[in-house]
């Protein structure tokens, strides 16, 4: 990213602050969300680092809060989805307190777009062991399982299943996913063209975690055996 572009990012981040006018804040947030999702792979990685280095993450996390409109929450979560692809930035995002706020956006009172982006961000944050534990501790697993249901739109179900598959690589978290009733919901999604690949991957990861874990509960093993036999 050229120096001018870096200055532009810093300028946008300043406009995310509470002292900025709502219109400035909204425009800056939309611009950062767009910046975080475009570009060639190398340029995109450079852009993500520049956005984080400019101090955007605390402001983005703050904008996830209940005082923000649905569109602001949607764009803030969308930016975090992309930023969390970097393991280093994912650590910073979690340290800024994003996980509990994202978990709170999985509820039925939020819009489809907010739910999908929140689930997507949690799924990308789940690439680190520490974040998996923090996501489970924030109570996100039952909410993600709930979003697998028929009452959710396909985009939300996909993001929820994707998040659960990333979380399931940890054996204890996988057991919590099973205990929350994910397997019947995932089985049902396997029969849907829209969500088949996401649900199948989540089930495979759960089965793998079961096979690898000596500490898994009896219920966990029984659920996995039933899955294999089906």
């Amino acid at each position: 990213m050229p120096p001018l572009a870096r200055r532009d990012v810093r300028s946008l981040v300043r406009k995310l602050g509470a002292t900025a006018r709502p219109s400035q804040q909204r425009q800056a947030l939309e611009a950062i969300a767009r910046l975080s999702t475009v570009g060639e792979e190398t340029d995109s990685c450079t852009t993500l680092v520049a956005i984080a280095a400019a101090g955007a993450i605390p402001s983005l996390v703050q904008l996830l809060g209940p005082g923000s409109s649905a569109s602001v929450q949607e764009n803030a979560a969308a930016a975090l989805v992309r930023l969390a692809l970097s393991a280093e930035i994912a650590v910073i995002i979690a340290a800024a307190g994003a996980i509990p706020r994202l978990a709170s956006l999985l509820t039925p009172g939020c819009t489809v777009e907010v739910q999908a982006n929140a689930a997507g961000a949690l799924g990308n944050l789940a690439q680190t062991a520490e974040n998996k534990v923090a996501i489970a501790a924030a109570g996100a697993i039952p909410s993600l399982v709930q979003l697998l249901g028929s009452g959710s739109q396909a985009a939300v179900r996909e993001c929820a299943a994707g998040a659960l598959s990333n979380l399931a690589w940890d054996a204890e978290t996988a057991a919590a996913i099973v205990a929350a009733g994910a397997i019947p919901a995932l089985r049902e999604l396997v029969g849907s063209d829209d969500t088949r690949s996401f649900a199948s991957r989540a089930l495979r990861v759960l089965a793998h975690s079961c096979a690898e874990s000596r500490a898994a509960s009896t219920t966990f093993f029984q659920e996995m055996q039933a899955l294999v036999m089906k």
Side-chain angles (χ1 to χ4, degrees):
M1 176 180 290
L4 178 60
R6 291 182 184 276
R7 289 197 295 272
D8 288 344
V9 171
R10 289 195 292 269
S11 176
L12 288 171
V13 171
R14 284 195 295 272
K15 292 176 182 177
L16 293 179
T19 59
R21 294 196 301 271
S23 59
Q24 288 182 317
Q25 191 180 65
R26 183 180 64 254
Q27 291 169 1
L29 179 58
E30 291 173 353
I32 287 175
R34 287 194 302 271
L35 276 174
S36 69
T37 58
V38 299
E40 298 296 330
E41 184 175 354
T42 301
D43 291 340
S44 181
C45 290
T46 303
T47 301
L48 297 180
V49 171
I51 292 171
I57 290 172
S59 295
L60 291 171
V61 172
Q62 185 67 26
L63 292 172
L64 296 173
S68 297
S69 67
S71 63
V72 167
Q73 291 174 331
E74 175 188 343
N75 282 305
L80 291 174
V81 169
R82 185 66 177 171
L83 286 163
L85 288 171
S86 162
E88 293 80 7
I89 297 176
V91 172
I92 298 171
I93 293 171
I99 289 174
R101 292 205 168 193
L102 289 166
S104 72
L105 298 179
L106 302 174
T107 59
C110 295
T111 66
V112 169
E113 294 78 12
V114 170
Q115 288 177 334
N117 287 343
L122 288 170
N124 289 344
L125 287 170
Q127 63 185 299
T128 71
E130 294 79 5
N131 285 354
K132 286 181 177 67
V133 173
I135 291 168
I141 289 175
S143 296
L144 288 167
V145 172
Q146 186 70 25
L147 291 177
L148 298 175
S150 58
S152 298
Q153 293 193 14
V156 176
R157 294 197 298 268
E158 286 180 5
C159 291
L164 290 170
S165 66
N166 288 346
L167 287 164
W169 285 109
D170 175 79
E172 290 187 9
T173 307
I177 292 170
V178 172
I183 289 179
L186 290 168
R187 281 179 180 155
E188 186 169 345
L189 293 183
V190 169
S192 169
D193 290 337
D194 293 332
T195 54
R196 179 180 294 115
S197 62
F198 296 90
S200 296
R201 180 176 182 270
L203 288 169
R204 288 196 301 270
V205 176
L206 284 167
H208 173 82
S209 292
C210 174
E212 292 293 317
S213 175
R214 294 180 179 178
S217 69
T218 301
T219 300
F220 189 83
F221 279 114
Q222 289 173 344
E223 290 282 0
M224 290 299 101
Q225 288 170 351
L227 170 63
V228 172
M229 294 295 293
K230 188 171 179 65

